[in-house]
Amino acid sequence: MTARSTRDPADDAALLHKAADRLEALATATTPGQWRLGGLLASRPEVVAHGPGGRTEHVAEARARSAAWIGALSPALAGPLAAWLRAAAAGVPLPEAAAVARVLLKRLP
């Protein structure tokens, strides 16, 4: 027998919206653009943000803005994000989940 959840779906929805808002706010305050790995040392790759119009910025130059982003998207996020993608795949298709999956598949080895 499983215990019935006493959590209110409205509370979960508010939590999801809050997390999404904070993620977007963090992205706005971070060095923009498409981040790409480069450099000669595999143990210490360079990360360069490529922005609109060909502008580039070495992420180390914007460390104060970038550190929170890197920390927020640590490996601890992989499990919940993967579970969300699988749930979207198993249930009602979500265009947003598909968009996230497309970006991840382009960038993950």
Side-chain angles (χ1 to χ4, degrees):
M1 181 189 285
T2 60
R4 207 171 140 215
S5 174
T6 59
R7 290 181 12 188
D8 183 352
D11 290 342
D12 285 347
L15 179 71
L16 291 168
H17 285 291
K18 182 178 179 180
D21 291 347
R22 289 181 64 185
L23 186 60
E24 287 174 337
L26 181 58
T28 300
T30 301
T31 301
Q34 299 294 321
W35 292 18
R36 299 182 193 144
L37 297 179
L40 298 175
L41 296 174
S43 63
R44 294 179 191 252
E46 294 178 340
V47 179
V48 178
H50 296 259
R55 185 177 87 61
T56 62
E57 181 178 5
H58 197 283
V59 176
E61 295 170 352
R63 189 166 290 148
R65 294 187 315 269
S66 303
W69 180 254
I70 294 166
L73 296 178
S74 71
L77 186 62
L81 181 55
W84 174 69
L85 291 169
R86 288 186 183 104
V92 176
L94 299 172
E96 297 84 0
V100 168
R102 280 191 289 278
V103 171
L104 288 172
L105 290 173
K106 285 181 186 176
R107 296 180 181 182
L108 293 172

